Amino acid sequence: MGDDDSSFIGRRLKHTGDLLLGGAKKQVVDYKLKFDGLKGTYDDFLSKLLIPYTPKMFDVSFIDQFFGKRSLSFAGVDGTVLKEDVFDLVVFFAGAYSAHGKIEFDSKGHASIVYDEKYLEKGVGVSSVLPVYINEVPLIDQTLLVRDEEGHADDSITFTDAWVVDNSAFADYLMGLAEFYLGYQLVCSENPVDILLIDRVFSSEIASFYAETSDFRLNLDHECGLIGHKIDGRPFTKTEWIFARKLFGNLKMGTPAPRGEFLFPRIVMELIKEPGNSLTRDELAEKLGLNGEFHLSRLDKELEKGIRGSGDAEGLIIRKDQHFVLKPQYRDIKDRIRKLVDEVCGRMFSGDPKVSYDDRFKVDGRWITTNDLAFLSLASLYLSIESCWKNKTLLVGVAKDTSARDLKRQVLPVLNYVGRFKGTFSGKGQDTPDTDRMILQWVSLHEKEQLAVPWATVEYDTAFKTIVPHFERKPGLVSGARRNQISLEKTFTKSYFQLCQAASDKKLRSNVLLYDRLIYPDFDENESNLLTLHHDYQNRPESPELVQVVFYEGVDNQIQSFIISMFEEMTSKSIPELFGHLKPLYIADKVAKYYWSQFKGMVDSTGTWLINRSDLREFLFYLSSFRERRSSVEQSRRYS
């Protein structure tokens, strides 16, 4: 027979294979053309943004000034997650684990690192497990809800069990909380670590949790188990939930800046700090640096709204003659949030086997939901950051894989638009790769003779990710990328970096990674590395609001120099998994994987134990789904 007589399945498989191969070839060719568009960019402008840090001694004077000592403790934190169905149950498991060590410096700037090798015996970790019926998962996982245009959940829509299991995010939220709660413990203990490394991008996590816990997106009465829970005998209120999200910043750095949606939170933070929790309107205007009719009228409107309340939030302040006074029940809001985190997370991740899953995942009989996990994660991050500012703990988040593109899409276009920097990819359109990592990876490879490793991009404020040139292209002005909002500035800086190349071949370089780290008063507030942008917030270009961001181009950066030098000490060229990565995070990842494998074995053993219980056989036959029964029969046939 000829080819035309081949089977239908054979023809379809050949056709599908041809499509796959053709599509893959086209993608490769397209990407090669995009890389060609990067030629010349290093000499044109990227050389001003990529800083080589050739091996050198640590700056002991900086270490003395920042840490106040030369023997520093560090910890790396990573998490693990497991989501598996056992008959009609879904088992959620999540944990976070740390690796520890010390780095010591001599008077000449030499460093020596010692790792705690007894990871499993002495390591620190938190974990928890929740077995729950599949039909109850939508009660705790609000990410599964389908909402209408007004944000109300549509209860008429149902999904299959398989869809619920596959799409549930509860375990992922639980893992995130485990990591942030463990980090909180490490920096807020009696002996806090000096350096904390986490496999997370802090600025992105805060922005995500801040949005997810907004009262405009949630039904706080029905979708948040924490509301109403008593802290020291007083119920945790919707008002406290709404404002605890916003009361974050460092007044020494001038954050949150008195602009946009941060104006009233800044007022509240000033009142919390003030003896008597009371200030006049003129005193507030002076402290916030507000002048001019437009900005003072905005202050008046925020004060009025602060008295009457808005939406689900009641008023936080009252007026007594000329003074605006913070209500007594909100003066200790930060301490109440700390107690809430300590109590709820303490039970959730308790190592006491007597604490049942009801006690861990229910508050006063109500399920803790993904919304609650997001709120507790945000609160844990806030508490950790405030402790890092207080104790001078260096807080650094590291991401191994990233699809970020803010350097190409926001940072360079904005800097060019306001005249602070010259050079951008915008003229090349779609002729360059779309992610910052791929751009920098290619440039590093092709400029290997000029760009030595380790290197890092200059640090820039993560607020840049939410800034764009003015919507109407008015000179000198910027806009917020989404709903004309700009995120909190002077809180985190971000940088891409590359650590290693093989001794045998300069072309074999490690992956480009990114870190973001906390900004510190007294170290990051020099005028030389601050850039003031003018934000047209309410379509009043004549009265813009000032956004002061950090940008280190052309400026010596002591903290980055310390970080990259430390990273170089923590990596290895001889271990493939560590080539260009950090040993503390590598160890923490291995510990997390060990616990994952142990718990996975427990889940599998539980299922086997249930199947072999003769008294449950009939019950389990009807409890299991059709797919499970079919899979069991097929597996038996396959191995019989």
Coordinates of all heavy atoms in Angstrom, one line a residue, residues 500-566:
C500 N 28.8 34.0 37.8 CA 29.9 33.1 37.5 C 30.1 32.9 36.0 O 29.2 33.1 35.2 CB 29.6 31.7 38.1 SG 29.5 31.6 39.9
Q501 N 31.3 32.5 35.6 CA 31.5 31.9 34.3 C 32.5 30.7 34.5 O 33.3 30.7 35.5 CB 32.1 32.9 33.4 CG 33.5 33.4 33.7 CD 34.0 34.4 32.7 OE1 33.3 35.1 32.0 NE2 35.3 34.5 32.5
A502 N 32.4 29.8 33.6 CA 33.3 28.6 33.7 C 34.7 28.9 33.4 O 35.0 29.8 32.6 CB 32.8 27.5 32.7
A503 N 35.6 28.3 34.2 CA 37.0 28.6 34.0 C 37.5 28.1 32.6 O 38.4 28.7 32.0 CB 37.8 27.8 35.0
S504 N 36.8 27.1 32.0 CA 37.3 26.5 30.7 C 36.7 27.3 29.5 O 37.3 27.2 28.4 CB 36.8 25.1 30.6 OG 35.4 25.0 30.8
D505 N 35.6 28.0 29.7 CA 35.0 28.7 28.6 C 34.2 29.9 29.0 O 33.3 29.8 29.8 CB 34.1 27.8 27.8 CG 33.6 28.3 26.5 OD1 33.8 29.5 26.3 OD2 33.0 27.6 25.7
K506 N 34.7 31.1 28.6 CA 34.0 32.3 29.0 C 32.5 32.4 28.6 O 31.8 33.2 29.1 CB 34.8 33.6 28.5 CG 36.1 33.8 29.1 CD 36.7 35.1 28.6 CE 38.1 35.3 29.3 NZ 38.7 36.6 28.8
K507 N 32.2 31.7 27.5 CA 30.8 31.7 27.1 C 29.8 31.0 28.0 O 28.6 31.2 28.0 CB 30.7 31.0 25.7 CG 31.3 31.8 24.6 CD 31.1 31.1 23.2 CE 31.7 31.9 22.1 NZ 31.5 31.2 20.8
L508 N 30.4 30.1 28.9 CA 29.5 29.4 29.8 C 29.4 30.2 31.1 O 30.2 30.1 32.0 CB 30.2 28.0 30.1 CG 30.3 27.1 28.9 CD1 31.0 25.8 29.4 CD2 28.9 26.8 28.3
R509 N 28.3 31.1 31.1 CA 28.1 31.9 32.2 C 26.8 31.5 32.9 O 25.9 30.9 32.3 CB 28.0 33.4 31.8 CG 29.3 34.0 31.3 CD 29.2 35.5 31.1 NE 30.6 36.0 31.1 CZ 30.8 37.3 31.1 NH1 29.9 38.2 31.1 NH2 32.1 37.8 31.0
S510 N 26.7 31.8 34.2 CA 25.5 31.4 35.0 C 24.3 32.2 34.5 O 24.5 33.2 33.8 CB 25.8 31.6 36.5 OG 26.1 32.9 36.7
N511 N 23.2 31.8 35.0 CA 21.9 32.5 34.7 C 21.9 33.9 35.3 O 22.5 34.1 36.4 CB 20.7 31.8 35.2 CG 20.4 30.6 34.3 OD1 21.0 30.4 33.2 ND2 19.4 29.8 34.6
V512 N 21.3 34.8 34.6 CA 21.0 36.1 35.2 C 19.8 36.0 36.2 O 18.8 35.5 35.9 CB 20.6 37.2 34.1 CG1 20.2 38.5 34.8 CG2 21.9 37.4 33.2
L513 N 20.0 36.4 37.4 CA 19.0 36.4 38.5 C 18.7 37.8 38.9 O 19.3 38.7 38.4 CB 19.5 35.6 39.7 CG 20.2 34.2 39.5 CD1 20.6 33.6 40.8 CD2 19.3 33.3 38.7
L514 N 17.7 37.9 39.7 CA 17.4 39.3 40.3 C 17.3 39.2 41.8 O 17.0 38.2 42.3 CB 16.1 39.8 39.6 CG 14.7 39.3 40.0 CD1 14.2 40.0 41.3 CD2 13.7 39.6 38.9
Y515 N 17.5 40.3 42.4 CA 17.3 40.5 43.8 C 16.5 41.8 44.0 O 16.7 42.7 43.2 CB 18.5 40.4 44.7 CG 19.4 41.6 44.6 CD1 19.2 42.7 45.4 CD2 20.6 41.7 43.8 CE1 20.0 43.9 45.4 CE2 21.4 42.8 43.8 CZ 21.1 43.9 44.6 OH 21.9 45.0 44.6
D516 N 15.7 41.9 45.1 CA 15.3 43.1 45.6 C 15.6 43.2 47.1 O 15.6 42.1 47.7 CB 13.8 43.4 45.3 CG 12.8 42.6 46.0 OD1 13.2 41.6 46.6 OD2 11.6 42.9 46.0
R517 N 16.0 44.3 47.5 CA 16.4 44.4 48.9 C 15.8 45.7 49.5 O 15.4 46.6 48.9 CB 17.9 44.4 49.1 CG 18.7 45.5 48.3 CD 18.9 46.7 49.1 NE 19.7 47.8 48.4 CZ 19.9 49.0 48.9 NH1 19.3 49.3 50.1 NH2 20.6 49.9 48.2
L518 N 15.7 45.7 50.9 CA 15.1 46.7 51.6 C 15.9 48.0 51.5 O 17.2 47.9 51.5 CB 14.9 46.3 53.1 CG 14.0 47.2 54.0 CD1 12.6 47.3 53.4 CD2 14.0 46.6 55.4
I519 N 15.3 49.1 51.5 CA 16.0 50.4 51.5 C 16.1 50.9 53.0 O 15.2 50.7 53.8 CB 15.2 51.5 50.7 CG1 15.3 51.2 49.2 CG2 15.7 52.9 51.0 CD1 14.5 52.1 48.3
Y520 N 17.3 51.5 53.3 CA 17.5 51.8 54.7 C 17.8 53.3 54.9 O 18.6 53.9 54.1 CB 18.8 51.0 55.2 CG 18.5 49.5 55.2 CD1 18.7 48.7 54.1 CD2 18.0 48.9 56.4 CE1 18.5 47.4 54.1 CE2 17.8 47.5 56.4 CZ 18.0 46.8 55.3 OH 17.7 45.4 55.3
P521 N 17.2 53.9 55.9 CA 17.5 55.3 56.3 C 19.0 55.4 56.6 O 19.7 54.4 57.0 CB 16.7 55.5 57.5 CG 15.6 54.5 57.5 CD 16.2 53.3 56.9
D522 N 19.6 56.5 56.3 CA 21.0 56.8 56.5 C 21.9 56.2 55.5 O 23.1 56.5 55.5 CB 21.5 56.4 57.9 CG 20.6 57.0 59.0 OD1 20.2 58.2 58.9 OD2 20.4 56.3 60.1
F523 N 21.4 55.3 54.7 CA 22.3 54.7 53.7 C 21.8 54.9 52.2 O 22.5 54.8 51.3 CB 22.4 53.2 53.9 CG 23.2 52.9 55.2 CD1 22.5 52.7 56.4 CD2 24.6 52.7 55.2 CE1 23.2 52.4 57.6 CE2 25.3 52.5 56.3 CZ 24.6 52.3 57.5
D524 N 20.5 55.1 52.1 CA 19.9 55.2 50.7 C 19.2 56.5 50.5 O 18.5 56.6 49.5 CB 18.9 54.0 50.5 CG 19.5 52.7 50.4 OD1 20.4 52.5 49.5 OD2 19.2 51.8 51.2
E525 N 19.4 57.5 51.3 CA 18.7 58.7 51.1 C 19.6 59.9 50.8 O 19.2 61.1 51.0 CB 17.9 59.1 52.4 CG 18.7 59.0 53.7 CD 17.9 59.2 54.9 OE1 16.7 59.5 54.8 OE2 18.4 59.1 56.0
N526 N 20.7 59.6 50.1 CA 21.5 60.7 49.6 C 20.9 61.4 48.4 O 20.3 60.7 47.6 CB 22.9 60.2 49.3 CG 23.7 59.7 50.5 OD1 23.5 60.2 51.6 ND2 24.5 58.6 50.3
E527 N 21.0 62.6 48.3 CA 20.4 63.3 47.2 C 20.9 62.9 45.8 O 20.2 62.9 44.8 CB 20.6 64.9 47.3 CG 19.8 65.5 48.4 CD 18.3 65.4 48.2 OE1 17.9 65.5 47.0 OE2 17.6 65.2 49.2
S528 N 22.2 62.4 45.8 CA 22.8 61.9 44.6 C 22.1 60.7 44.0 O 22.2 60.5 42.8 CB 24.3 61.7 44.8 OG 24.4 60.7 45.8
N529 N 21.4 59.9 44.8 CA 20.8 58.7 44.3 C 19.3 58.8 44.4 O 18.6 57.7 44.3 CB 21.3 57.4 44.9 CG 21.2 57.4 46.4 OD1 22.1 57.8 47.1 ND2 20.0 57.1 47.0
L530 N 18.7 60.0 44.5 CA 17.3 60.2 44.6 C 16.9 61.0 43.4 O 17.5 61.9 43.0 CB 16.9 60.9 45.8 CG 17.1 60.1 47.2 CD1 16.7 61.0 48.3 CD2 16.2 58.8 47.2
L531 N 15.7 60.6 42.8 CA 15.2 61.3 41.6 C 13.8 61.7 41.9 O 13.0 60.8 42.3 CB 15.2 60.4 40.4 CG 14.5 60.8 39.1 CD1 15.1 62.1 38.6 CD2 14.5 59.7 38.1
T532 N 13.4 62.9 41.7 CA 12.1 63.4 42.0 C 11.3 63.5 40.7 O 11.7 64.1 39.7 CB 12.1 64.8 42.6 OG1 12.8 64.8 43.9 CG2 10.7 65.3 42.9
L533 N 10.2 62.7 40.7 CA 9.2 62.7 39.5 C 8.0 63.4 39.9 O 7.6 63.5 41.1 CB 8.9 61.2 39.2 CG 10.1 60.3 38.8 CD1 9.6 58.9 38.6 CD2 10.8 60.8 37.6
H534 N 7.3 64.0 38.9 CA 6.1 64.8 39.1 C 4.9 64.0 38.5 O 4.8 63.8 37.3 CB 6.3 66.1 38.4 CG 7.4 67.0 38.9 ND1 8.7 66.8 38.6 CD2 7.4 68.0 39.8 CE1 9.4 67.6 39.2 NE2 8.7 68.4 40.0
H535 N 4.1 63.6 39.5 CA 2.9 62.7 39.1 C 1.7 63.5 39.0 O 1.2 64.2 39.9 CB 2.8 61.7 40.2 CG 1.6 60.7 40.0 ND1 1.0 60.0 41.0 CD2 1.0 60.3 38.9 CE1 0.1 59.2 40.5 NE2 0.0 59.4 39.2
D536 N 1.1 63.5 37.8 CA -0.2 64.1 37.5 C -1.3 63.2 38.1 O -1.8 62.3 37.3 CB -0.4 64.4 36.0 CG -1.7 65.1 35.7 OD1 -2.4 65.5 36.6 OD2 -2.0 65.2 34.5
Y537 N -1.7 63.3 39.3 CA -2.5 62.4 40.0 C -4.0 62.6 39.7 O -4.7 61.6 39.5 CB -2.3 62.4 41.5 CG -3.1 61.5 42.3 CD1 -3.1 60.1 42.1 CD2 -4.0 61.9 43.3 CE1 -3.9 59.2 42.8 CE2 -4.8 61.0 44.0 CZ -4.7 59.7 43.8 OH -5.5 58.8 44.5
Q538 N -4.5 63.8 39.7 CA -5.9 64.0 39.5 C -6.2 65.0 38.3 O -7.0 65.9 38.4 CB -6.5 64.6 40.8 CG -6.6 63.6 41.9 CD -7.4 64.1 43.1 OE1 -7.4 65.3 43.4 NE2 -8.0 63.2 43.9
N539 N -5.4 64.7 37.3 CA -5.6 65.6 36.1 C -5.4 67.1 36.4 O -6.1 67.9 35.9 CB -6.9 65.3 35.4 CG -6.9 65.8 34.0 OD1 -5.9 65.9 33.3 ND2 -8.1 66.2 33.5
R540 N -4.4 67.3 37.3 CA -4.0 68.7 37.6 C -2.5 68.9 37.3 O -1.7 68.9 38.2 CB -4.3 69.0 39.1 CG -5.8 68.9 39.4 CD -6.6 70.1 38.9 NE -6.1 71.3 39.5 CZ -6.7 71.9 40.5 NH1 -7.7 71.3 41.1 NH2 -6.2 73.0 41.0
P541 N -2.2 68.9 36.1 CA -0.7 69.0 35.7 C 0.0 70.2 36.3 O 1.2 70.2 36.5 CB -0.7 69.0 34.2 CG -2.1 69.5 33.8 CD -3.0 69.0 34.9
E542 N -0.8 71.2 36.6 CA -0.2 72.4 37.2 C 0.2 72.2 38.7 O 0.9 73.0 39.3 CB -1.1 73.6 37.1 CG -2.3 73.7 37.9 CD -3.4 72.8 37.4 OE1 -3.2 72.1 36.4 OE2 -4.5 72.7 38.0
S543 N -0.4 71.2 39.3 CA -0.1 70.9 40.8 C 0.2 69.4 40.9 O -0.6 68.7 41.6 CB -1.4 71.2 41.6 OG -1.7 72.6 41.5
P544 N 1.3 69.0 40.4 CA 1.6 67.5 40.4 C 2.1 67.1 41.9 O 2.5 68.0 42.7 CB 2.8 67.4 39.5 CG 3.5 68.7 39.5 CD 2.3 69.7 39.6
E545 N 1.9 65.9 42.1 CA 2.4 65.3 43.4 C 3.8 64.7 43.2 O 4.1 64.1 42.2 CB 1.5 64.3 43.9 CG 0.1 64.8 44.3 CD -0.8 63.8 45.0 OE1 -0.7 62.6 44.7 OE2 -1.5 64.3 45.9
L546 N 4.7 64.9 44.2 CA 6.1 64.5 44.0 C 6.3 63.1 44.4 O 5.8 62.6 45.5 CB 7.0 65.4 44.9 CG 6.9 66.9 44.6 CD1 7.9 67.7 45.5 CD2 7.1 67.3 43.1
V547 N 7.0 62.4 43.6 CA 7.4 61.0 43.9 C 8.9 60.9 43.8 O 9.5 61.1 42.8 CB 6.8 60.0 42.8 CG1 7.1 58.6 43.2 CG2 5.3 60.2 42.7
Q548 N 9.5 60.6 45.0 CA 11.0 60.6 45.1 C 11.4 59.1 45.1 O 11.2 58.4 46.0 CB 11.4 61.3 46.3 CG 12.9 61.7 46.3 CD 13.3 62.6 47.5 OE1 12.9 62.2 48.6 NE2 13.9 63.7 47.2
V549 N 12.1 58.7 44.0 CA 12.5 57.3 43.8 C 14.0 57.2 43.9 O 14.8 58.2 43.6 CB 12.0 56.8 42.5 CG1 10.5 56.6 42.5 CG2 12.4 57.7 41.3
V550 N 14.5 56.0 44.2 CA 15.9 55.7 44.3 C 16.4 55.2 42.9 O 15.8 54.4 42.3 CB 16.2 54.7 45.3 CG1 17.6 54.2 45.3 CG2 15.8 55.2 46.7
F551 N 17.5 55.8 42.4 CA 18.1 55.3 41.2 C 19.6 55.6 41.3 O 20.1 56.7 41.5 CB 17.6 56.1 40.0 CG 18.2 55.7 38.7 CD1 18.2 54.4 38.3 CD2 18.7 56.7 37.8 CE1 18.7 54.0 37.0 CE2 19.2 56.3 36.6 CZ 19.2 55.0 36.2
Y552 N 20.4 54.5 41.2 CA 21.8 54.5 41.6 C 22.8 54.7 40.4 O 24.0 54.5 40.6 CB 22.2 53.3 42.4 CG 22.2 53.4 43.9 CD1 21.1 52.9 44.6 CD2 23.2 54.1 44.6 CE1 21.1 53.1 46.0 CE2 23.2 54.2 45.9 CZ 22.1 53.7 46.7 OH 22.1 53.9 48.0
E553 N 22.3 55.1 39.3 CA 23.2 55.2 38.1 C 24.2 56.3 38.3 O 23.9 57.4 38.7 CB 22.4 55.5 36.8 CG 23.2 55.4 35.6 CD 23.7 56.8 35.1 OE1 22.9 57.8 35.4 OE2 24.7 56.9 34.4
G554 N 25.5 56.0 38.1 CA 26.6 56.9 38.3 C 26.9 57.2 39.7 O 27.7 58.2 40.0
V555 N 26.5 56.4 40.7 CA 26.7 56.7 42.1 C 27.2 55.4 42.8 O 26.8 54.3 42.5 CB 25.3 57.1 42.8 CG1 25.6 57.4 44.3 CG2 24.7 58.3 42.1
D556 N 28.2 55.6 43.6 CA 28.8 54.5 44.4 C 27.7 53.9 45.3 O 27.0 54.6 46.0 CB 30.0 54.9 45.2 CG 30.6 53.8 46.0 OD1 30.8 52.7 45.4 OD2 30.9 53.9 47.2
N557 N 27.5 52.6 45.3 CA 26.5 51.9 46.1 C 27.1 50.9 47.0 O 27.4 49.8 46.6 CB 25.5 51.2 45.1 CG 24.3 50.7 45.8 OD1 24.3 50.4 47.0 ND2 23.2 50.5 45.0
Q558 N 27.3 51.3 48.3 CA 28.0 50.4 49.2 C 27.2 49.1 49.5 O 27.8 48.1 49.7 CB 28.2 51.2 50.5 CG 29.3 52.3 50.4 CD 29.5 53.0 51.7 OE1 28.5 53.5 52.3 NE2 30.7 53.0 52.2
I559 N 25.9 49.3 49.6 CA 25.1 48.1 50.0 C 25.1 47.1 48.8 O 25.3 45.9 49.1 CB 23.6 48.5 50.3 CG1 23.6 49.4 51.5 CG2 22.8 47.2 50.5 CD1 22.2 49.8 52.0
Q560 N 25.0 47.5 47.6 CA 25.1 46.6 46.5 C 26.4 45.9 46.4 O 26.6 44.7 46.1 CB 24.7 47.3 45.1 CG 24.7 46.3 44.0 CD 24.4 46.9 42.6 OE1 25.1 47.8 42.2 NE2 23.3 46.4 42.1
S561 N 27.5 46.7 46.6 CA 28.8 46.2 46.6 C 29.0 45.0 47.6 O 29.6 44.0 47.3 CB 29.9 47.3 46.9 OG 31.2 46.7 46.9
F562 N 28.4 45.2 48.8 CA 28.4 44.2 49.8 C 27.6 43.0 49.4 O 28.1 41.8 49.6 CB 27.9 44.8 51.1 CG 27.8 43.7 52.2 CD1 28.9 43.5 53.0 CD2 26.6 43.1 52.5 CE1 28.8 42.5 54.0 CE2 26.5 42.1 53.4 CZ 27.6 41.8 54.2
I563 N 26.4 43.2 48.8 CA 25.6 42.1 48.5 C 26.2 41.2 47.4 O 26.2 40.0 47.5 CB 24.2 42.6 48.0 CG1 23.4 43.2 49.2 CG2 23.4 41.5 47.3 CD1 22.1 43.9 48.8
I564 N 26.7 41.9 46.3 CA 27.3 41.1 45.2 C 28.6 40.3 45.7 O 28.8 39.2 45.3 CB 27.6 42.0 44.0 CG1 26.3 42.6 43.5 CG2 28.3 41.2 42.9 CD1 25.3 41.6 43.0
S565 N 29.4 41.0 46.5 CA 30.5 40.3 47.0 C 30.2 39.1 47.9 O 30.8 38.1 47.9 CB 31.4 41.3 47.8 OG 31.9 42.4 47.0
M566 N 29.1 39.3 48.7 CA 28.6 38.2 49.6 C 28.0 37.1 48.7 O 28.3 35.9 49.0 CB 27.5 38.7 50.5 CG 26.9 37.7 51.4 SD 25.6 38.3 52.5 CE 24.3 38.8 51.2

